[in-house]
C-alpha cells in the first residue's frame, strides 16, 4: 500500500439526492459532484479531505461510515482505513441495494428497527424515500413510518 500513487485520480460517487460541493485542499478551487453523479479526484486530495475531517468522505465516525461520498477504489479505501485488505471490514454505506433489503422486511417491527438502526443522515432519509418510490412501495404502515421517521412526504 505504501507505493500507491497519490496523484492518481480515482472515482468518487455522490450517494445523495442533491449536489455536493466542497473546497479543494491540495489545489485552488472547488469540487462539485452532481446528485447521484461521479467525479475523479486524486488520492492525495481525497486523503487530505479525510484528514481534514470532511464528513462527506470521512463519515460520522472518521472511518467512512455513513459518508455522503463513496470512494470506488478499494486501494484508496484500504489506505484510509475504511476497509481491510482482506475485505472482512467494509465501509458502512447506505446504498439503494441496502435500502431495498430493508424495504423487503415482512414484519413492521423489524422494518422499523432496521430503519432506525441504519438510516442516520438526512441524505440517507431522502434516499430511503426516493428508493421506496422507485420500488413502488404499497404498504400504508411502512409509508406512514417512513414519513414520520424521515419528515419527508411520500408524494410524487
Amino acid at each position: 500500500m505504501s507505493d500507491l500513487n497519490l496523484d492518481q485520480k480515482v472515482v468518487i460517487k455522490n450517494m445523495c439526492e442533491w449536489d455536493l460541493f466542497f473546497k479543494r485542499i491540495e489545489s485552488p478551487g472547488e469540487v462539485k459532484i452532481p446528485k447521484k453523479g461521479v467525479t475523479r479526484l486524486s488520492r492525495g486530495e481525497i486523503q487530505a479531505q479525510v484528514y481534514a475531517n470532511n464528513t462527506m468522505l470521512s463519515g460520522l465516525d472518521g472511518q467512512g461510515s455513513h459518508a455522503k461520498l463513496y470512494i470506488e477504489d478499494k486501494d484508496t479505501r484500504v489506505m484510509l482505513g475504511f476497509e481491510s485488505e482482506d475485505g472482512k471490514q467494509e465501509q458502512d454505506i447506505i446504498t439503494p441495494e441496502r435500502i431495498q433489503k430493508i424495504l423487503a422486511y415482512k414484519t413492521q417491527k423489524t422494518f422499523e428497527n432496521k430503519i432506525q438502526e441504519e438510516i442516520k443522515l438526512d441524505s440517507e432519509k431522502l434516499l430511503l424515500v426516493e428508493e421506496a418510490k422507485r420500488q413502488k412501495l404499497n404498504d400504508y404502515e411502512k409509508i406512514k413510518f417512513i414519513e414520520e421517521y424521515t419528515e419527508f412526504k411520500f408524494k410524487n
Side-chain angles (χ1 to χ4, degrees), residues 21-107:
F21 301 84
F22 57 90
K23 289 189 177 291
R24 290 181 181 271
I25 293 175
E26 292 208 327
S27 61
E30 290 186 348
V31 176
K32 174 193 176 193
I33 308 168
K35 73 177 188 172
K36 298 293 193 184
V38 297
T39 194
R40 291 170 24 95
L41 289 177
S42 71
R43 283 189 178 119
E45 181 67 38
I46 293 169
Q47 183 181 46
Q49 293 290 336
V50 170
Y51 289 171
N53 200 28
N54 178 341
T55 57
M56 288 184 228
L57 284 158
S58 66
L60 296 178
D61 60 358
Q63 299 297 304
S65 295
H66 299 276
K68 293 177 180 167
L69 296 169
Y70 180 71
I71 304 161
E72 292 195 344
D73 179 65
K74 181 175 178 156
D75 291 337
T76 304
R77 290 192 311 273
V78 169
M79 173 188 75
L80 294 169
F82 292 0
E83 193 170 309
S84 60
E85 284 190 54
D86 59 11
K88 288 184 180 173
Q89 174 231 334
E90 291 188 24
Q91 192 174 356
D92 186 17
I93 294 288
I94 301 298
T95 63
E97 295 77 23
R98 194 160 162 191
I99 289 177
Q100 289 170 15
K101 288 179 183 173
I102 294 171
L103 294 173
Y105 284 107
K106 300 294 182 201
T107 66

